[in-house]
Amino acid sequence: MEAPVFGDEYDAAQLYPGVAPGRYLVREKMFAIGDDFWVTTESGEKVYLVDGKALTLHDRLELKDAAGTVLATVKKKIITIHHSMKIEDATGETVATVRKKMFTPLHEAFEVDLAVGIELSVRGDMFNHEYGIAGPNGPIAQITRKWLRVRDTYGVDIAPGWDHALIIAIAVCVDRLSGDDD
C-alpha cells in the first residue's frame, strides 16, 4: 500500500477515527551531529531525548526516554552508495531499515523494512515537510506542520497500537534522509 499524502484537509480525527493518536512536537532538521534536544507532547511534556553523537564515523544518535534509558540508536554511514539508515533497539539488534527511493520526480518516498517482516511506505512533500507513513492495513503516522505555529518544528501523529519510539526514530530518519543530495 502506498503511503497517503495529506493536504490541507488533514485532520488526525479523520486519520484515526474514535481514538486520539499520540502527538509529538519535533524540531526540524533534528539530526544535526552533536545536537541534543527533546521531543515533547503538545502540552510541553518531555518524552524523548534525541542525543546526537559527535565525532563518530557514522551519523548517529540515541533516542532516550525521559529517564535517560536508551530506546533506539539511529545510524547512517557517512560514505554510502544507498541512502539508508538503520534503527537498532537497546540491545543493538536492527529493528528497521529506512531507505530513500531513488527516483520519485513529483514527491519524496521512502521504504521502511521492519525486522518483524512488515514493510512500511513513507511518501510526502520534502519542501513542506508533510509525510504520511502507511503499513499494510493503512495509515500509521503523519509528519506535519499543518497544526503548528512554532517555527522550525513539526508534529508527528501516531496511530494507536504502534511503538511511538520506533515511529519517532523513523521520522528522524526521514528528516535526515530528506536532506541528502548525493
Side-chain angles (χ1 to χ4, degrees):
M1 168 178 276
E2 196 166 292
V5 177
F6 302 98
D8 294 335
E9 75 286 348
Y10 166 72
D11 178 10
Q14 292 174 348
L15 185 60
Y16 316 116
V19 184
R23 181 171 271 187
Y24 300 94
L25 301 178
V26 183
R27 204 174 71 208
E28 181 183 19
K29 286 300 162 212
M30 60 187 143
F31 197 18
I33 296 176
D35 195 13
D36 298 346
F37 64 92
W38 286 95
V39 175
T40 65
T41 63
E42 278 184 287
S43 62
E45 176 188 355
K46 294 177 178 178
V47 182
Y48 301 110
L49 174 65
V50 178
D51 183 1
K53 300 295 181 185
L55 304 174
T56 65
L57 295 177
H58 298 80
D59 278 348
R60 180 174 174 251
L61 67 80
E62 292 177 339
L63 182 66
K64 299 178 180 180
D65 66 14
T69 304
V70 175
L71 303 174
T73 302
V74 177
K75 296 180 179 180
K76 177 185 182 240
K77 290 183 181 179
I78 291 177
I79 300 172
T80 181
I81 295 172
H82 302 287
H83 299 283
S84 66
M85 300 186 85
K86 291 190 183 256
I87 301 169
E88 297 176 353
D89 66 13
T91 67
E93 292 293 319
T94 299
V95 295
T97 302
V98 180
R99 289 182 191 84
K100 183 175 184 178
K101 291 188 177 182
M102 298 313 264
F103 183 70
T104 53
L106 301 177
H107 62 273
E108 196 161 37
F110 304 85
E111 52 189 39
V112 181
D113 295 319
L114 301 179
V116 295
I118 298 172
E119 185 175 307
L120 308 180
S121 176
V122 182
R123 185 171 170 230
D125 177 355
M126 66 184 169
F127 298 109
N128 293 319
H129 215 300
E130 300 288 324
Y131 296 93
I133 303 174
N137 297 322
I140 293 168
Q142 172 68 27
I143 303 168
T144 185
R145 286 188 184 161
K146 295 291 184 201
W147 49 268
L148 295 172
R149 292 188 174 93
V150 181
R151 187 177 172 185
D152 297 331
T153 300
Y154 58 89
V156 179
D157 284 331
I158 304 171
W162 285 90
D163 180 334
H164 290 202
L166 174 63
I167 301 302
I168 294 293
I170 291 169
V172 167
C173 293
V174 168
D175 181 69
R176 177 63 179 112
L177 292 169
S178 69
D180 283 354
D181 294 329
D182 38 300

